[in-house]
Amino acid sequence: MPIVEVHILSGYDAEAKRRLGEALTDAVRFVVPAPPEAVTVMIHEMPGEHYYRGRTQRSGAPALADPKEIVRSYLLAMERRDIDTAQEMLGDGFVMQFPGTAPMSKLSELIEWAAPRYRSVTKTYEGFDAMQSSSDAAIVYARGTLSGVWPDGTDFEGIRFIDRFELIGGLITQQDVWNDIAEVRAST
C-alpha cells in the first residue's frame, strides 16, 4: 500500500486539496499497480509564518484552475457560439488543427471553415483526461461523440471525436481535433 505525504502551506481550499490528493493518487498508480483505495495521501498544512526561502518569509501561490473545467467551459462556449467568452480562454499564439485543413489561429476561421460541413454540431462527452506535460503545459483530452445536422437538413449522430488541448497559465494555446465526420459524411 503506497503512502504519499506532502507538505503545503496553509490557505488552500478543500477543492484544491481534493484535486492535489487525486493527482498524487493518479501519479502513484501510473507506476505502482495499486487500486485507488490502496493509495494513501496525507496532506500536511504548514502555517505561512513558518516558511522561509532565501531568508525571506514567503506565502504559497494560489491553486491553479482545473484545466479540465477550462476546456469544458471553452467547448460549451463554442457550442453556444459565445465566441467572446471562448476567445477569453485562449492564450497568445493560439493555434488549432482540424482534419482536412491548415492550422487556424482565429475562431472566426473555424466557424467559416465549418459552415459548409454542417449546420450544427453538439458533443456528448465520454470523458476528460488531464495530465501535466514535461513543459509548462497542462494537456487535456476530451473524447466522445458528435451529433448534429448536415447542410441538407438530415441529422447525424454517434461520430467519434477526440480533442487534445494544451494550456499554459490557465489559457488554451493549442487545440488538435480528430474525428470521423468526413468518413461518415462520405458514406451518406
Side-chain angles (χ1 to χ4, degrees), residues 99-143:
T101 190
M104 297 174 271
S105 60
K106 296 183 175 101
L107 297 179
S108 58
E109 293 173 303
L110 171 61
I111 293 167
E112 182 179 323
W113 171 78
R117 295 174 59 91
Y118 45 77
R119 281 190 194 175
S120 65
V121 66
T122 59
K123 294 180 175 184
T124 300
Y125 301 103
E126 293 173 5
F128 289 82
D129 302 304
M131 65 208 70
Q132 184 66 40
S133 71
S134 58
S135 68
D136 287 339
I139 309 297
V140 176
Y141 286 90
R143 55 192 158 70

Side-chain angles (χ1 to χ4, degrees), residues 148-167:
V149 179
W150 296 119
D152 66 5
T154 16
D155 294 336
F156 65 85
E157 64 181 6
I159 298 175
R160 299 178 309 163
F161 80 88
I162 294 177
D163 293 352
R164 180 188 181 276
F165 295 87
E166 289 188 19
L167 295 85

Side-chain angles (χ1 to χ4, degrees), residues 2 54-55 82 89 111 151 156 166 187:
R55 297 182 180 165
D82 184 354
M89 297 177 200
I111 293 167
F156 65 85
E166 289 188 19
S187 67

Side-chain angles (χ1 to χ4, degrees), residues 27-92:
V28 168
R29 294 184 64 233
F30 204 67
V31 177
V32 177
E37 60 274 6
V39 178
T40 301
V41 175
M42 291 184 260
I43 300 174
H44 303 283
E45 290 186 272
M46 298 180 57
E49 64 268 10
H50 297 295
Y51 174 65
Y52 288 82
R53 187 176 69 231
R55 297 182 180 165
T56 304
Q57 188 175 12
R58 310 282 179 150
S59 58
L64 297 172
D66 185 340
K68 290 187 288 190
E69 292 307 315
I70 293 168
V71 166
R72 190 185 315 262
S73 295
Y74 166 78
L75 291 169
L76 182 60
M78 288 299 294
E79 189 173 304
R80 291 188 321 247
R81 288 297 186 252
D82 184 354
I83 303 306
D84 291 338
T85 297
Q87 184 66 45
E88 291 173 4
M89 297 177 200
L90 305 180
D92 291 339

